[in-house]
Amino acid sequence: MSDHRHGHSCEDKENLECLNEETENSGKDVFKPWEQRLNFEKFVESDCDEELLFNIPFTGNIKLKGIIVVGANDDSHPSKMKLFKNRPKMTFDDVGVKADQEFDMQRDPTGRLEYSPKVVTFSSVHHLSIYFPKNFSDGEESTRIYYIGLKGEFSEAHRHGVTICNYEAWASPSDHKVDQGDTVSKMIQ
């Protein structure tokens, strides 16, 4: 997770995946430091059509506040972006469900446009799927992305394990010994 100014990252890049990328693992290359956003040597390009789907797990919880997407100043730039919150391992079979938020995009070859997700919806994100269904070419050209920047606040994940507790249904006399030394017993008739 970049705040667009630092190189801090909280994406789980090892488990980040991009579906329909022409070159394997090239989707990971677009999540780079803000200072490298205009380095066009590394990019991701869609393979058999214009669709790209990113599954981005985070190492904690994110309050997502902004997304920047740098593409070329041509028809390969994505024209629509759909965001899905906390739906790990999405595939193209899953993208038909209603997105948590959608954006109509503009060409942005310099990273000046920031798309703002709804704060209430994206306040506790541990996994983000970003789906680019089309570009400006009307399906005649592949989609190419050079940079994706995510802006937000990071907090450590609170992973609660299973706690094993034993509760007594009945008291066990052996667990509750009473000192009998000072007690007086009387027979009541």
Side-chain angles (χ1 to χ4, degrees), residues 50 106 108 138 154 166 168:
E50 56 191 341
Q106 298 177 27
D108 185 13
D138 294 326
F154 173 83
N166 291 321
E168 291 182 349

Side-chain angles (χ1 to χ4, degrees), residues 67-116:
I67 300 175
I68 291 179
V69 178
V70 175
N73 195 18
D74 62 23
D75 288 346
S76 71
H77 193 292
S79 62
K80 185 173 273 307
M81 175 173 60
K82 296 183 178 189
L83 305 178
F84 299 90
K85 171 188 162 186
N86 299 337
R87 298 183 196 180
K89 299 290 183 188
M90 283 190 74
T91 67
F92 290 109
D93 292 337
D94 303 319
V95 296
V97 300
K98 183 170 173 41
D100 292 300
Q101 191 165 1
E102 295 185 29
F103 295 95
D104 288 323
M105 302 180 72
Q106 298 177 27
R107 289 182 182 95
D108 185 13
T110 60
R112 293 182 187 198
L113 296 175
E114 182 172 312
Y115 300 91
S116 299

Side-chain angles (χ1 to χ4, degrees), residues 177-187:
K177 300 239 184 236
V178 177
D179 185 8
Q180 301 277 331
D182 294 332
T183 58
V184 176
S185 298
K186 283 190 183 183
M187 232 14 208

Side-chain angles (χ1 to χ4, degrees), residues 38-179:
L38 300 179
N39 178 345
F40 297 151
E41 291 175 18
K42 292 187 176 184
F43 56 87
V44 63
E45 188 166 359
S46 62
D47 188 14
C48 59
D49 58 23
E50 56 191 341
E51 295 177 276
L52 285 170
L53 175 61
F54 290 87
N55 283 307
I56 309 160
F58 296 107
T59 58
N61 287 316
I62 304 300
K63 183 185 287 186
L64 188 62
K65 295 182 174 182
I67 300 175
I68 291 179
V69 178
V70 175
N73 195 18
D74 62 23
D75 288 346
S76 71
H77 193 292
S79 62
K80 185 173 273 307
M81 175 173 60
K82 296 183 178 189
L83 305 178
F84 299 90
K85 171 188 162 186
N86 299 337
R87 298 183 196 180
K89 299 290 183 188
M90 283 190 74
T91 67
F92 290 109
D93 292 337
D94 303 319
V95 296
V97 300
K98 183 170 173 41
D100 292 300
Q101 191 165 1
E102 295 185 29
F103 295 95
D104 288 323
M105 302 180 72
Q106 298 177 27
R107 289 182 182 95
D108 185 13
T110 60
R112 293 182 187 198
L113 296 175
E114 182 172 312
Y115 300 91
S116 299
K118 298 174 200 163
V119 176
V120 173
T121 304
F122 293 93
S123 64
S124 182
V125 181
H126 58 81
H127 186 280
L128 180 67
S129 295
I130 304 175
Y131 173 50
F132 297 99
K134 59 185 184 173
N135 58 30
F136 287 96
S137 75
D138 294 326
E140 299 173 17
E141 193 174 314
S142 60
T143 299
R144 184 180 283 196
I145 297 173
Y146 295 101
Y147 171 81
I148 297 177
L150 304 174
K151 179 181 175 183
E153 295 174 16
F154 173 83
S155 62
E156 292 291 328
H158 298 288
R159 308 242 188 252
H160 297 289
V162 176
T163 303
I164 299 173
C165 297
N166 291 321
Y167 295 96
E168 291 182 349
W170 293 277
S172 173
S174 64
D175 289 342
H176 304 282
K177 300 239 184 236
V178 177
D179 185 8

Side-chain angles (χ1 to χ4, degrees), residues 2-8 32-39 147:
S2 167
D3 72 355
H4 302 317
R5 286 156 197 77
H6 304 127
H8 174 68
K32 51 191 169 188
W34 168 249
E35 300 80 30
Q36 295 177 21
R37 74 190 179 286
L38 300 179
N39 178 345
Y147 171 81

